[in-house]
Amino acid sequence: MVDRGIVGPDNYAQIPALAERGRTRAAKFLDRLDGMIGKQPFVCGDIFTAADIDAFIYVTFAKWADINPTAGHRNVKRWYAEVESRPSASV
């Protein structure tokens, strides 16, 4: 992925500081998501919604970049395990 900092036909150098900023923002979002979920079963309450689908995709993609929920993200970990166990998540 060298020189592939931006998608498209032309090469652009990666900017390490920009990548680090993105990693920091992703980790902060996990903090916010943990608070949004709280003790409820799903992001918006008792019902599985599109918000759960969006958040599930976000957390899955973040894991590919080695940005994982930490021990402090108990609600995200619990919620993610629940959503991941749904048959539709394995498609």
Side-chain angles (χ1 to χ4, degrees), residues 33-35 37-39 72-80:
L33 181 61
D34 197 74
I37 295 170
K39 300 299 179 198
H73 297 125
R74 290 184 308 275
N75 299 323
V76 170
K77 287 182 166 192
R78 171 191 49 79
W79 163 85
Y80 189 84

Side-chain angles (χ1 to χ4, degrees), residues 29 33 37 43 50-60 79-80:
F29 180 74
L33 181 61
I37 295 170
V43 174
D52 295 285
I53 296 168
D54 290 346
F56 181 75
I57 292 167
Y58 178 88
V59 174
T60 300
W79 163 85
Y80 189 84

Side-chain angles (χ1 to χ4, degrees), residues 55-70:
F56 181 75
I57 292 167
Y58 178 88
V59 174
T60 300
F61 282 171
K63 286 181 173 201
W64 291 346
D66 201 27
I67 301 167
N68 297 294
T70 66

